[in-house]
Amino acid sequence: MCIRDRDRYLTMLKFLFLLCTALLTNGLSLRKPEAANQCLRWTLTENEITEARGNVKRKDIKLYTTHNSASILIDGINYMKALYDDIELAGQGDFIHAKMFDQNADVMLIPNASDAISSRKTSVYNVLGRALKRGVTVRILANINIMQSYKAIEFCLRINLLCGYTCCGLDNRHPGIITGNLHTKMWIVKHGKDTIVYNGGMDVASGRWDTQKHDFSLEHQMNGDFMGHNAMHDQMVRITGPAVVDYERHFYERWNDPHPSFFPFVWLQGYKWSPPPFIRTKNEGLQIQIMRTLSCTGAKYGYYKDFAPKGEFTALAGIVKMAKLAKNYIYMEDQFFNFPEPMKAIADALPHLNAVIIVTDSQDLSLIHI
């Protein structure tokens, strides 16, 4: 059923990845194959995914993949340096695909207060410009709504002038053209025989670059601030292995969605599906399951008809299942953790848990009732 609260939760299209670290909620330390079997308990089953999609089977993305590797990059200093390094490796015949909520082409991936000239060479605008000159294909989906239109329009205009064609699309294929959002932060970088995915909670935009000290450093100030905040804590995950095919599949489907954007001057040239190359780990590696949010209201508007005609709520289903299976404690970081369904699932689990820790944004604290 498509209910209003879920649409609100769903408007912020997010990805969750299951890295088997959910075992921490049980405080377990297991050896294979016991560990592998325990990991599978935390993934959604095929039936659970189908139910979360309005009883429409998901055929385009695997149930889960193995032989993956992932590293958690905490705070902008670590994430943006890694992203810069991967983009600089991309060359002729490679691609850079990105989905973003917020944008700023002048943000420097490696700011250095003592060397402004070198710092500017690492800006998103300059990094992508060099990649294009090397023959890299760039495609970017930038979130836009009426309330937040200026930054997205300016960003895509500058990037499109670099490309010489519409490589940056203003994407408002979500339920609310006034304040609705596509909240995914994701970069996919193919270089040579490997493909790297960055996925998590951090845009490459004003105020996001920071260190673990959160001391309002000169480098942080060089990239501006975000809504008056002088510090920013968040993380991204760098993923390699078979899971990158599923991430690229999602981007491909969003880019090639036949439903036009609300903005009539945006036209995206479709491209043919081709699974990207990847390097798998020699051992079983990490099991990763893609969970996403695609609004059922958006589906009613005609979006996602080729891959999620009734929407998809696997991100929500994954959180609820995690809460039900937890036996020792739950630790979660989520900027918008103020929606009834996940809050109820964690509240129901409280009697048999030793601790629940939820880190959320301060502006939402008044809405939390756990």
Side-chain angles (χ1 to χ4, degrees):
M1 179 181 296
C2 183
I3 59 177
R4 183 173 181 180
D5 283 332
R6 286 188 173 180
D7 287 338
R8 290 175 59 214
Y9 186 77
L10 248 151
T11 300
M12 301 164 288
L13 191 154
K14 285 189 175 183
F15 274 73
L16 296 178
F17 48 89
L18 190 59
L19 301 178
C20 198
T21 52
L23 283 173
L24 291 175
T25 59
N26 277 344
L28 298 178
S29 176
L30 303 174
R31 299 182 180 274
K32 296 178 182 178
E34 184 183 5
N37 292 332
Q38 286 291 330
C39 286
L40 288 177
R41 293 179 60 242
W42 299 87
T43 62
L44 295 176
T45 66
E46 184 175 350
N47 287 338
E48 288 169 335
I49 291 176
T50 299
E51 183 179 357
R53 289 169 46 87
N55 293 319
V56 176
K57 287 188 176 182
R58 190 168 78 173
K59 302 178 180 179
D60 51 338
I61 291 176
K62 294 181 179 64
L63 182 62
Y64 64 89
T65 57
T66 59
H67 299 280
N68 298 290
S69 177
S71 55
I72 299 176
L73 304 172
I74 300 175
D75 296 316
I77 185 174
N78 298 305
Y79 160 48
M80 295 186 192
K81 173 62 165 60
L83 178 62
Y84 173 87
D85 290 341
D86 279 320
I87 291 177
E88 289 290 287
L89 290 174
Q92 182 69 40
D94 292 332
F95 66 75
I96 299 168
H97 292 164
K99 294 175 87 279
M100 54 190 67
F101 163 70
D102 197 6
Q103 320 84 17
N104 185 339
D106 294 320
V107 161
M108 293 161 279
L109 300 179
I110 310 177
N112 183 346
S114 62
D115 193 346
I117 294 177
S118 295
S119 296
R120 285 194 289 271
K121 292 179 181 179
T122 72
S123 72
V124 175
Y125 181 85
N126 288 324
V127 169
L128 292 180
R130 288 196 299 273
L132 287 163
K133 290 180 180 178
R134 296 193 300 268
V136 179
T137 298
V138 174
R139 297 183 181 95
I140 299 172
L141 289 173
N143 172 71
I144 189 170
N145 57 45
I146 292 177
M147 296 294 291
Q148 298 173 305
S149 59
Y150 173 76
K151 284 197 299 182
I153 292 173
E154 179 192 37
F155 176 84
C156 277
L157 177 61
R158 293 179 64 186
I159 301 302
N160 287 335
L161 288 174
L162 275 178
C163 292
Y165 57 91
T166 304
C167 63
C168 182
L170 300 170
D171 195 358
N172 76 321
R173 288 170 293 189
H174 47 64
I177 62 172
I178 298 178
T179 60
N181 291 309
L182 300 172
H183 218 246
T184 308
K185 293 91 172 178
M186 178 178 72
W187 289 74
I188 308 171
V189 182
K190 175 191 174 294
H191 50 67
K193 297 181 180 180
D194 201 7
T195 305
I196 313 299
V197 167
Y198 290 87
N199 185 211
M202 198 182 313
D203 277 308
V204 179
S206 299
R208 273 50 168 213
W209 190 98
D210 206 350
T211 70
Q212 289 182 300
K213 293 182 179 179
H214 304 298
D215 56 357
F216 198 49
S217 65
L218 292 176
E219 284 78 11
H220 177 80
Q221 295 175 52
M222 288 173 70
N223 275 329
D225 65 63
F226 174 62
M227 298 178 67
H229 297 293
N230 294 329
M232 177 67 69
H233 165 74
D234 216 320
Q235 55 271 317
M236 295 287 280
V237 179
R238 184 182 186 271
I239 299 169
T240 61
V244 303
V245 178
D246 290 333
Y247 279 97
E248 169 59 17
R249 183 69 189 187
H250 173 77
F251 181 89
Y252 164 83
E253 291 172 338
R254 290 307 310 259
W255 182 275
N256 288 277
D257 191 330
H259 196 289
S261 172
F262 172 79
F263 293 84
F265 53 86
V266 175
W267 183 76
L268 303 177
Q269 175 65 51
Y271 66 99
K272 185 178 180 181
W273 168 249
S274 178
F278 58 83
I279 298 175
R280 67 177 63 221
T281 59
K282 293 182 180 180
N283 52 27
E284 186 177 355
L286 295 172
Q287 299 170 351
I288 296 181
Q289 180 175 65
I290 303 295
M291 304 177 190
R292 56 185 181 177
T293 303
L294 296 161
S295 169
C296 45
T297 298
K300 289 179 180 179
Y301 292 164
Y303 311 143
Y304 338 128
K305 66 178 183 180
D306 290 344
F307 55 96
K310 293 186 179 180
E312 180 172 324
F313 290 87
T314 48
L316 173 60
I319 292 174
V320 171
K321 184 170 185 175
M322 176 275 295
K324 290 180 179 179
L325 291 175
K327 295 181 179 179
N328 191 345
Y329 65 87
I330 294 174
Y331 175 87
M332 290 193 66
E333 295 182 13
D334 194 312
Q335 180 184 3
F336 296 101
F337 200 81
N338 57 3
F339 294 90
E341 296 92 344
M343 290 172 59
K344 182 179 185 305
I346 291 180
D348 290 343
L350 283 175
H352 62 266
L353 297 176
N354 294 324
V356 171
I357 301 173
I358 299 173
V359 180
T360 188
D361 191 80
S362 59
Q363 65 185 359
D364 297 326
L365 288 178
S366 62
L367 301 176
I368 293 181
H369 304 294
I370 291 180

